[in-house]
Amino acid sequence: MALRVLSGIRVPMIGSIVVLAIKKCAADISPYVKKAAAQAIPKCYSLDSSHQPELITIISTLLRDRSPLPIGSVAVAFEAVCPTRLDLFHQHYRRLCRTLIDMDDWGQVDLLNLLVRYARTMLPRPVITEDADGQSEEVDPDLKLLLSSAEPLFQSNNPAVVLAVARAFYYLGPPSEMKKIVSPLLRLLHISPEIERVTLSYILVVARSSPSLFTPHYTSFLVRTDDIRQVKKDKMQLLRLLISAENHQALLREFIYYADDSDDDLVADAIQAIGYCARLVPESTQQCLTALMSFIQSKHDPVVANAVLVLKSLVQLSLHHHQTLTIASTSGAYSPMAIISRLAYRIEEIRHPKARACVLWLVGQYASIDAGTEAKLGPEGIAEWAPDVLRKAAGFFTKETPYVKLQTVTLAAKLLVLCPSDRTLGLLNRYVLSLARYDLNFDVRDRARMLGSLLSGVTSVLHSDEDGHEDQGGVVLRREQVKMVLFEGKQDVSLDTGIPVDDRHALLGSLSAVVGRDLTYDSYLPDWLEEGTESSLRDSEYDAPQVPIHAQPLPSAIPRSIASSSKNTPVILTPTGPSPSGSFVRQNGKSDWTDLDKFYAETESTEEEEGTEEEAVESDEEEADSNEDGDSEEEEEGSAEEPDTDSVDEGKGESEDVLHHAR
């Protein structure tokens, strides 16, 4: 507590005192004091960075500690003070891997992230080779040690630990180990909405590179009504990634159901997913187009708008690759031109600006393609519905948005280039360009002036005497050149993958993957080395195999002196560890007991032998006592007589001989 208070004082002048206090506490015998010392290191470094050498020495001292309690705080201090000094972990790498299971939850997270960075920097990349038997993987033993030590943490109750282990397996493990992260991540989806939000960002990153891992579990990502908006968005991206030939029917039904939701963002994602399914699985094209054509008749503007946008991309893709794109209906099969004609006839019912602009672009781009219809306008074979669409768009030109105005001006120019001799198209073109030249929007005015100058060499209708404009100088393009400018080079389709550009390179476990934006201060993951550092650098005295007590060899015979002294010396048994069965060896040379009757028989014989020995000892003691009693009686009789002086001297000599003999 004293160190915490001292390190919390934000005064640079006491930095040296704080360093001395941290150094003293780092050598304490209590792991709690060492943990407080490790937590004080980042505070001291942020206060005065000139103490970095002393703090690095303290970190090296704390790394040698055998207690798992302060290791997590030491990892945090290392990241704050010297994140590039990974060489400090060489001697402690293997011990830290084995200590992972005994650490606290948040310490496991910090140490795992640090070990992942160490492994990517110091260990060789797993090598995958193809052979006749299939794929063979060559993984460094130290990397195997880290993965095997971290795998039990998948069962942790802390979601942060599970996500950290999943990150370690994703960036370090070979392909055969990737399947181990699926079940733990799916388990986290049901804990809380907040954890589900973060877990989905992890699953999205993994599914972009390996969608087959989660394809069998697509039902876990179906959208629920009570999901928040961002969770719905992430689930829709996941479902798009998991579309396959086996599950496209079930997912397509889900997408059609989501199109009726009250959330406009979910509706847009669902309709775009239907178009993506049609492009990905050709067998589902008919069902997808049927659903999209039915959405056009909806009274909900977002549904109609998104359906038109998706149909536009499908038609453009089909005509670009010369594919057969048909849908079944009561009157037969609709070709791409038939779809465009249906959209053209419903131009007045489509009110969304982007959808109206898409319809106008389709009409102008594909008005000259032979649709198989009998009614044509002009010698160039313009579709019969194209001039009518231009007439309707010109009538509401002043009320349209800039998106629609730009496409209306472009449509008028395209139709005039296709059929310059048609007077009706010329008048419509002149009317639209005159309105656009004086529009309030800069882009609309610039587009009108550019197209007016571009069409100056095509027809004289635009520059008649009624305009009051003089002939403009400069280069005048012919009709074929203007047609190439307006029509060519615009049929390449950019396929929408449904993945934001910023998310395609997001790292697993980074904040960018969660918020969906590129952050400059996000986590950094180093690239693999072609050849890792020497494995001998990680050797230490802790790596020597420890021989268990029950496996240590016992002496074959006990010395007689010890055996004789042990008879009268009490034996105190001190438990030092569990003794496995079969590890006890009897010292009397007898074999182990395998039968209960033999055990009792040998026990009885042992007791009889001990009884005879005790009787012999007792008889010897009784004889010694009787001899002592006889000697004492003789001494009393000699002392009772009163002989003369000579006899007394002789009696003394005789008594001494008797006593000596008795002794």
Side-chain angles (χ1 to χ4, degrees):
M1 294 298 296
L3 181 59
R4 288 183 180 179
V5 174
L6 186 62
S7 61
I9 300 175
R10 309 296 296 174
V11 179
M13 294 180 61
I14 65 171
S16 301
I17 301 176
V18 177
V19 172
L20 291 176
I22 293 174
K23 186 176 182 180
K24 181 178 179 180
C25 292
D28 197 90
I29 60 175
S30 174
Y32 292 96
V33 178
K34 295 178 181 178
K35 183 176 182 179
Q39 292 173 348
I41 291 176
K43 300 179 183 178
C44 181
Y45 180 74
S46 62
L47 189 65
D48 188 358
S49 59
S50 63
H51 299 293
Q52 185 182 29
E54 295 87 347
L55 297 177
I56 292 177
T57 305
I58 298 174
I59 291 175
S60 301
T61 303
L62 292 172
L63 283 174
R64 290 193 293 269
D65 189 71
R66 301 299 299 273
S67 175
L69 185 62
I71 297 299
S73 301
V74 175
V76 175
F78 178 87
E79 291 285 1
V81 177
C82 51
T84 59
R85 289 293 306 277
L86 294 175
D87 56 293
L88 299 177
F89 282 85
H90 285 325
Q91 297 291 327
H92 314 289
Y93 171 78
R94 294 168 184 168
R95 179 175 56 82
L96 291 177
C97 290
R98 299 187 185 98
T99 312
L100 269 174
I101 193 67
D102 299 323
M103 297 174 56
D104 61 290
D105 294 348
W106 297 108
Q108 291 171 345
V109 175
D110 296 327
L111 184 59
L112 266 175
N113 293 333
L114 185 56
L115 290 177
V116 167
R117 196 158 59 86
Y118 177 88
R120 297 270 296 195
T121 307
M122 299 295 179
L123 301 181
R125 182 199 299 265
V127 179
I128 313 299
T129 57
E130 297 283 348
D131 52 12
D133 299 333
Q135 287 186 350
S136 61
E137 300 173 348
E138 182 180 352
V139 186
D140 187 78
D142 289 330
L143 187 57
K144 283 184 178 179
L145 175 63
L146 175 57
L147 295 177
S148 61
S149 301
E151 185 175 355
L153 301 182
F154 274 130
Q155 309 301 325
S156 176
N157 291 329
N158 192 334
V161 177
V162 179
L163 295 178
V165 180
R167 181 175 182 269
F169 271 75
Y170 180 73
Y171 286 120
L172 301 180
S176 61
E177 299 287 336
M178 292 292 294
K179 59 184 179 181
K180 295 181 180 180
I181 71 176
V182 177
S183 298
L185 291 178
L186 294 178
R187 175 173 63 87
L188 299 181
L189 294 175
H190 308 286
I191 296 180
S192 68
E194 294 79 11
I195 296 175
E196 181 185 20
R197 168 76 178 88
V198 178
T199 306
L200 284 174
S201 66
Y202 275 68
I203 297 177
L204 265 174
V205 176
V206 178
R208 286 165 192 160
S209 59
S210 303
S212 59
L213 292 175
F214 296 96
T215 300
H217 310 281
Y218 72 93
T219 54
S220 301
F221 310 114
L222 298 180
V223 179
R224 299 190 301 267
T225 307
D226 57 344
D227 287 336
I228 61 177
R229 177 170 298 179
Q230 189 60 40
V231 170
K232 291 180 179 179
K233 181 179 179 181
D234 292 342
K235 285 185 175 181
M236 286 302 304
Q237 292 185 23
L238 268 173
L239 292 177
R240 289 183 60 167
L241 292 173
L242 302 183
I243 294 176
S244 62
E246 292 77 15
N247 59 14
H248 75 275
Q249 290 289 343
L251 290 178
L252 190 56
R253 289 193 296 269
E254 288 290 329
F255 296 151
I256 295 174
Y257 175 76
Y258 298 155
D260 295 332
D261 196 84
S262 58
D263 188 356
D264 293 343
D265 294 335
L266 180 60
V267 170
D269 293 339
I271 296 177
Q272 291 174 6
I274 294 175
Y276 181 76
C277 183
R279 294 193 296 266
L280 187 64
V281 185
E283 294 80 5
S284 64
T285 303
Q286 178 177 345
Q287 187 177 359
C288 294
L289 289 176
T290 303
L292 292 173
M293 295 300 291
S294 65
F295 291 154
I296 298 177
Q297 303 175 1
S298 175
K299 297 180 180 180
H300 195 40
D301 287 343
V303 176
V304 178
N306 287 281
V308 171
L309 294 175
V310 174
L311 281 172
K312 176 247 183 185
S313 63
L314 290 177
V315 170
Q316 187 180 3
L317 182 66
S318 175
L319 294 176
H320 177 61
H321 295 286
H322 305 286
Q323 296 175 351
T324 303
L325 186 67
T326 59
I327 62 173
S329 66
T330 55
S331 60
Y334 286 99
S335 64
M337 292 301 297
I339 296 175
I340 297 176
S341 66
R342 292 196 61 177
L343 294 176
Y345 287 130
R346 301 181 66 89
I347 186 65
E348 295 179 344
E349 301 176 6
I350 300 175
R351 293 180 292 272
H352 195 276
K354 289 187 178 181
R356 290 176 64 87
C358 283
V359 174
L360 293 176
W361 184 88
L362 286 173
V363 171
Q365 187 70 23
Y366 303 108
S368 62
I369 296 179
D370 186 10
T373 56
E374 297 179 357
K376 294 288 190 288
L377 290 179
E380 301 296 335
I382 298 178
E384 58 180 354
W385 32 261
D388 192 54
V389 172
L390 178 59
R391 178 185 62 81
K392 295 177 181 178
F396 298 96
F397 185 86
T398 56
K399 300 179 181 179
E400 300 287 358
T401 61
Y403 291 106
V404 181
K405 290 180 180 179
L406 290 173
Q407 294 301 326
T408 303
V409 174
T410 306
L411 173 62
K414 288 181 178 180
L415 294 182
L416 184 63
V417 170
L418 292 176
C419 189
S421 59
D422 189 271
R423 181 173 178 79
T424 303
L425 290 177
L427 294 176
L428 285 174
N429 194 312
R430 178 182 176 184
Y431 174 74
V432 170
L433 290 180
S434 62
L435 291 176
R437 280 196 183 96
Y438 304 100
D439 194 81
L440 297 177
N441 188 274
F442 290 96
D443 294 333
V444 177
R445 294 202 300 267
D446 293 343
R447 177 74 61 88
R449 292 190 176 96
M450 186 270 293
L451 292 177
S453 300
L454 191 66
L455 297 174
S456 60
V458 176
T459 178
S460 59
V461 177
L462 295 176
H463 301 287
S464 59
D465 296 336
E466 300 176 0
D467 290 342
H469 293 286
E470 298 180 357
D471 293 340
Q472 299 178 358
V475 179
V476 178
L477 300 180
R478 299 188 304 273
R479 178 191 173 195
E480 290 77 11
Q481 295 173 331
V482 176
K483 188 175 181 181
M484 180 177 295
V485 171
L486 294 177
F487 289 92
E488 297 297 329
K490 300 180 181 180
Q491 296 185 3
D492 292 336
V493 185
S494 58
L495 299 179
D496 181 19
T497 59
I499 303 174
V501 178
D502 294 337
D503 292 353
R504 296 178 185 178
H505 302 289
L507 294 176
L508 192 67
S510 64
L511 191 59
S512 300
V514 178
V515 301
R517 296 193 302 270
D518 189 14
L519 303 176
T520 56
Y521 54 86
D522 214 337
S523 59
Y524 168 72
L525 184 69
D527 294 331
W528 284 99
L529 293 180
E530 294 298 331
E531 295 182 1
T533 57
E534 292 292 335
S535 178
S536 59
L537 295 175
R538 290 176 284 277
D539 294 338
S540 63
E541 65 274 9
Y542 306 111
D543 298 333
Q546 300 290 335
V547 180
I549 297 177
H550 64 271
Q552 296 178 359
L554 296 176
S556 58
I558 301 177
R560 294 183 179 180
S561 60
I562 299 177
S564 60
S565 63
S566 63
K567 292 183 178 179
N568 299 325
T569 304
V571 179
I572 301 175
L573 299 178
T574 303
T576 58
S579 178
S581 60
S583 64
F584 176 73
V585 180
R586 299 184 62 189
Q587 297 179 359
N588 54 9
K590 296 183 180 180
S591 60
D592 295 338
W593 295 296
T594 58
D595 191 359
L596 190 61
D597 296 334
K598 293 181 180 181
F599 168 74
Y600 285 121
E602 292 182 3
T603 304
E604 292 175 357
S605 62
T606 305
E607 291 176 354
E608 291 177 358
E609 292 176 359
E610 293 177 354
T612 55
E613 291 178 359
E614 292 177 357
E615 291 176 358
V617 172
E618 290 176 358
S619 62
D620 293 339
E621 292 177 354
E622 290 176 356
E623 291 178 359
D625 293 340
S626 61
N627 293 332
E628 292 177 358
D629 294 339
D631 295 339
S632 61
E633 291 176 356
E634 291 177 356
E635 290 176 359
E636 291 176 357
E637 291 176 354
S639 62
E641 297 178 354
E642 295 181 356
D644 54 2
T645 306
D646 296 335
S647 62
V648 171
D649 295 335
E650 292 177 358
K652 288 182 178 180
E654 292 177 357
S655 63
E656 290 177 359
D657 294 338
V658 172
L659 289 174
H660 179 72
H661 177 69
R663 289 172 183 171

